[in-house]
Amino acid sequence: MKSYKARGVVLHTLKYGDSSMVVYLLTDVGGRRSYMVQGVRSTRGRGSKLALFQPMFAVEFEGLESPRRQMDSFREIRSGAVLRSVPFDVRKSTIALFMAEVLYRLVRESEPNGPLFDFVWGSVGALDAMEEGVANFHLWFLANLSRFLGFYPGNAYTAGAFFDIREGLYTKTPPPHAGYMSGEHARTLDDFIRCDVRCLGEIGLNRRQRVGFLDALLVYYGYHLDAIRAVQSVKILQEVF
């Protein structure tokens, strides 16, 4: 079997049999890929590896391609980054769960996408390091993820503009259809697109505003990618934030 070295971010896992699992990763070498991990749930030998496969955990590994199987396997795997807060902070772990499910539902390509992978990998580190503005992180992530999914805003924001969801453009007047963001949400979208992730604490939103803007973003995503409607962790996110 051919081997290769790669980095990946954990998106989803499925139990397989009594002691094995299927792990879905976003990888730098082949987009989204699935891997069979045998014996990972066993109390003997390799049980400690289970801790690596949490939502949005970054890993480095040596993979094995099998021409007879649809899924690859691991020869070696280890942590790709030491996460000091995500596993222990309920706010950050909730956001990580949401990010992982969004990527699992929306990213299907099995081809390398360097810019997308670098954005996701960097987002994991940014979330872990963040001290202020955590409640805004999922909004920043969704607003900027659109750049890599093909429907990023196509023009610059101007004061008082609306945002046409169908066309992906800021407009001076409301479009002649219901698919647009209000002036408030259009301004917030621009704030998150222009904001450095380290400065999210400077965007002052209350709970009502965060929930409203998240709903607007989900409508925006839903128009372009219907699979966003299957993301179940939105409900948990709304309870926490």
Side-chain angles (χ1 to χ4, degrees):
M1 292 186 290
K2 181 181 178 182
S3 67
Y4 58 92
K5 293 185 178 181
R7 294 181 297 157
V9 176
V10 178
L11 304 184
H12 187 62
T13 60
L14 287 174
K15 183 179 178 182
Y16 186 85
D18 293 331
S19 62
S20 301
M21 64 166 48
V22 178
V23 178
Y24 294 86
L25 300 180
L26 180 67
T27 71
D28 59 345
V29 296
R32 183 178 128 168
R33 288 196 176 189
S34 56
Y35 295 83
M36 175 62 70
V37 187
Q38 296 181 334
V40 72
R41 294 179 178 273
S42 172
T43 57
R44 296 179 296 176
R46 301 173 61 188
S48 62
K49 292 293 185 182
L50 186 61
L52 290 173
F53 303 119
Q54 305 302 311
M56 296 305 292
F57 272 35
V59 295
E60 296 178 348
F61 62 94
E62 184 175 356
L64 293 172
E65 289 184 350
S66 176
R68 299 180 181 179
R69 299 178 183 176
Q70 293 182 341
M71 290 178 285
D72 292 354
S73 59
F74 298 118
R75 171 176 286 173
E76 294 182 4
I77 184 167
R78 62 182 180 275
S79 175
V82 178
L83 299 182
R84 303 185 185 279
S85 63
V86 169
F88 313 107
D89 185 323
V90 66
R91 302 171 304 160
K92 293 184 179 183
S93 60
T94 299
I95 291 173
L97 178 65
F98 173 73
M99 293 165 63
E101 188 180 2
V102 166
L103 293 166
Y104 173 71
R105 300 288 184 187
L106 302 188
V107 178
R108 299 285 180 171
E109 293 78 10
S110 57
E111 298 295 329
N113 185 333
L116 171 62
F117 180 82
D118 290 343
F119 170 72
V120 172
W121 183 274
S123 295
V124 175
L127 176 62
D128 191 64
M130 179 166 290
E131 296 181 359
E132 297 182 0
V134 174
N136 288 331
F137 190 89
H138 59 293
L139 303 175
W140 173 88
F141 180 77
L142 276 185
N144 288 278
L145 179 62
S146 66
R147 179 191 301 271
F148 309 98
L149 299 181
F151 51 94
Y152 191 71
N155 63 340
Y157 172 80
T158 56
F162 300 84
F163 183 68
D164 188 328
I165 285 173
R166 297 183 183 181
E167 300 297 329
L169 298 171
Y170 294 105
T171 61
K172 293 183 178 180
T173 58
H177 53 75
Y180 67 91
M181 291 187 188
S182 67
E184 177 186 358
H185 290 152
R187 182 179 66 253
T188 304
L189 176 61
D190 182 62
D191 286 343
F192 279 114
I193 286 175
R194 291 189 299 106
C195 182
D196 186 286
V197 68
R198 295 167 294 184
C199 302
L200 286 180
E202 299 176 8
I203 299 181
L205 299 179
N206 59 36
R207 183 184 181 88
R208 178 193 63 80
Q209 291 171 320
R210 280 194 297 272
V211 170
F213 182 60
L214 176 59
D215 288 342
L217 277 177
L218 293 175
V219 171
Y220 179 34
Y221 267 72
Y223 179 79
H224 297 278
L225 296 170
D226 188 63
I228 193 71
R229 305 180 198 281
V231 176
Q232 299 297 312
S233 54
V234 171
K235 300 176 183 177
I236 303 174
L237 201 67
Q238 291 172 331
E239 290 178 3
V240 175
F241 300 105

